[in-house]
Amino acid sequence: MKKRQTSLDDFLTKKPKSDVDSVRADENHAVVLNPQVENKIDDTLASDEGERSRGCSSGMLDIGNFIDRHPNAETCHDILVSAWIPDSSFAFPVEEGGSRKFQLSWLQQFSWLSYSGLLDGAFCRYCFLFATKSSSGASGGQALGKLVAEPYRKWKNALENFRKHERLDYHLASSLAAENFLKIQEGHKLPITASLNNAAEEELQRGKLILDPIIKTLLVCGRQGLALRGHKDSGRLSLKQPDENDGNFRALLRMRIESGDGNLKTHIETSPQNATYLSPDIQNEILNLSSRQIQETIVKEINSAKCFSIIADETTDVAESGTGESIAIKIKEELQKLGIETKYLHGQGYDGCSVMKGSVKGVQAKVKELISPKALYVHCSSHSFNLALTDACKIPDIRNTFQSLNEVIKFIRASPKRTSTLKNITAENPTHYQRDKLISFCETRFVERHSSVLRFVELYDAIVDLLEILEIDADSNTSSKAHQLLICITTIRFVVSMYVIEKVLSITISFSRQLQSPDLVLLACLEMAENILVLLTDIQLNSTTEFAVEQIWKVAATTCTNQSVPVDLPRSAKIKLKKNPQDPGNTMDAETYYRTTIFDPFLECD
């Protein structure tokens, strides 16, 4: 039989106060089940007897199905509480060369006993799932054979051998593992078991000493956002610095050992190859268990609040249906899977597309129909505001300026060399530049664009200097791209639009962030929206003053002068003036032209 790999749960179930809720079902050690757990298992077995065995020789939970493969945690639970048992009409085969056969009464006499119809043999389901499948070491040197690694079929001395099996150390250890596993699955914390023998107590303590540093190291990596894996992160952990990077997790464990963690060092040096508890599978188990605990805490808070809302969006996965009904069904399934009480659902917020907001077949309608009729639909306020800003930015000059900003930022951030050159330029004038790095440009969320625009405005002169340097770069692609971008951002149109965007977004940024705050207060947001509307309306009515020499135009003109950018009318306006020189309406100057073609239309759209 193929030797099974040791799992994380060898120690987690031996650890009295573990909150683990998923245990891999091999190589665990424990003591006898208490009577309540035994009775519960027997009652469950008895109640499901007819359903499992009716019309078939055995069921899916026949232990024989798992003799050559590892059952997962869910299956382990099902085997413990609902393992297949034959009914009273089942015809037990007679043993080869004799007249004896398995007796159904034995299943009631021994709570741990299971019969496999597939293999015509008896198993101890506790030891089958939780005892170490080896003949040395972990079970006090007791070999695991009949009832554990292979079926028991010698019915003549069955009762005597079953009683002997009950007294074996590894059976006692496996029994406790089964008890602890069931308690974990039911959400109970594990009590200190008074019936632990000295060997089991030592095992528990050893498991704690070994797993504590491993678990804590993983949690540190998780909290700090550190990647766990390295170039070569399998096999035994070397206490010497490796030639190849083996990842942050192993490096931190090595540091713990160097700092004096003797128990961890002993474990690394002496543990079997299949019981180091450092593999990627074990790492994922620990992280999954941690995430489950966090998730359960959040769910408990939601249910105790007795009122919650959901926010969702339609899927873009081609493997999933994107209809309103299918999304609503998926939402219902996820809420039930998490254990959230759907009767407390009072609100739902989505974007404004027809799939989500449709009053007949949309998600919001189907959620009311399938989950909770009290779930009031509200179009996401932040999304609505974002759409309003998007519409406002369809003004040609504003749209083109945003696009040019994005291209310049991507071009510079795409190369460490260009980023480094920008830092060098800003370092030459530290009093003028407080920062030296551009912020990536968000394509969809205007609340994030504001920071990018502000940083770009602050570094505008340095960016121009950088593009002039890159314009004569030896690389033809870099030189050509820098030349094109330099032409785009050194025009009066671009500079004016840049400062207009900065002006308007500086007004809307606080409101946009407030709409995404977890402490959102509806009345406060409504009041802020009214204040912003009043402010923008006042600016629109006094646009001449707001755009005048003391405001946007003065700053834009000064910037253009510093960069030798002509401050005049565009070519199209000059041609129009030449065609109608006598028209009194053609006395427009540059300031008036850019105010009426950029600033005023942008405010009107807002």
Side-chain angles (χ1 to χ4, degrees), residues 198-257:
N198 292 335
E201 289 180 352
E202 291 176 1
E203 280 291 292
L204 286 172
Q205 185 61 24
R206 187 173 72 87
K208 180 178 184 299
L209 293 175
I210 291 173
L211 276 182
D212 271 5
I214 294 175
I215 293 174
K216 289 178 180 178
T217 303
L218 274 173
L219 295 181
V220 166
C221 291
R223 282 194 296 266
Q224 299 303 119
L226 299 176
L228 300 178
R229 314 289 165 73
H231 180 68
K232 185 178 181 181
D233 55 9
S234 59
R236 187 173 294 279
L237 175 66
S238 173
L239 299 185
K240 297 180 181 179
Q241 292 298 328
D243 295 331
E244 296 179 294
N245 178 24
D246 58 356
N248 293 318
F249 172 60
R250 288 177 168 245
L252 289 173
L253 288 178
R254 193 178 295 110
M255 185 182 70
R256 290 185 71 115
I257 293 173

Side-chain angles (χ1 to χ4, degrees), residues 6-12 211 215 277 282 285-286 289:
T6 306
S7 80
L8 166 67
D9 309 299
D10 297 353
F11 289 116
L12 286 179
L211 276 182
I215 293 174
Y277 304 99
I282 297 300
E285 278 194 65
I286 294 174
L289 295 174

Side-chain angles (χ1 to χ4, degrees), residues 346-366:
H346 290 281
Q348 46 180 328
Y350 320 118
D351 60 26
C353 71
S354 59
V355 172
M356 307 304 290
K357 74 173 183 179
S359 59
V360 178
K361 295 184 178 180
V363 173
Q364 65 100 356
K366 293 300 180 181

Side-chain angles (χ1 to χ4, degrees), residues 457 495 499 502 548-562:
V457 171
V495 175
Y499 283 111
E502 180 198 23
V549 177
E550 291 78 14
Q551 300 293 329
I552 297 173
W553 178 252
K554 179 180 179 181
V555 178
T558 302
T559 299
C560 289
T561 301
N562 293 338

Side-chain angles (χ1 to χ4, degrees), residues 33 141 150 154 180 199 263 302 399 426 447 477 531 571 581:
L33 282 167
E150 54 186 283
K154 299 297 181 180
N180 290 346
N263 293 311
I302 292 173
R399 180 194 62 217
T426 57
V447 65
N477 291 331
N531 293 337
R571 181 173 179 273

Side-chain angles (χ1 to χ4, degrees), residues 394-513:
K394 291 181 179 179
I395 305 300
D397 286 305
I398 300 297
R399 180 194 62 217
N400 295 340
T401 298
F402 269 124
Q403 184 62 32
S404 298
L405 279 166
N406 189 19
E407 291 298 322
V408 171
I409 292 172
K410 288 195 298 185
F411 176 70
I412 295 175
R413 287 175 57 89
S415 168
K417 180 180 178 182
R418 297 167 199 161
T419 303
S420 177
T421 304
L422 180 62
K423 290 182 178 180
N424 294 336
I425 294 173
T426 57
E428 294 175 358
N429 192 357
T431 58
H432 182 67
Y433 302 110
Q434 302 299 319
R435 298 174 181 84
D436 57 12
K437 187 177 181 180
L438 291 171
I439 300 175
S440 59
F441 194 83
C442 182
E443 298 286 350
T444 56
R445 298 175 63 201
F446 274 80
V447 65
E448 304 299 335
R449 287 192 183 188
H450 185 254
S451 299
S452 301
V453 172
L454 284 180
R455 186 66 58 83
F456 191 97
V457 171
E458 180 182 346
L459 298 176
Y460 176 77
D461 292 338
I463 292 170
V464 172
D465 293 343
L466 172 62
L467 293 177
E468 289 176 345
I469 294 173
L470 297 177
E471 192 178 20
I472 57 175
D473 191 88
D475 181 72
S476 59
N477 291 331
T478 299
S479 175
S480 175
K481 185 69 172 179
H483 176 72
Q484 296 171 12
L485 294 176
L486 184 62
I487 292 175
C488 288
I489 70 171
T490 53
T491 65
I492 182 62
R493 278 182 180 274
F494 176 88
V495 175
V496 170
S497 299
M498 179 178 70
Y499 283 111
V500 168
I501 293 170
E502 180 198 23
K503 173 73 173 180
V504 175
L505 290 187
S506 64
I507 297 173
T508 61
I509 181 64
S510 59
F511 181 56
S512 187
R513 286 177 176 162

Side-chain angles (χ1 to χ4, degrees), residues 60 65 75 156 245 270 321 344 424 480 543 557 561 567 582 589:
M60 290 299 295
N65 287 312
T75 305
K156 179 180 179 180
N245 178 24
T270 62
S321 174
Y344 299 138
N424 294 336
S480 175
S543 63
T561 301
V567 181
Q582 304 302 322
D589 57 9

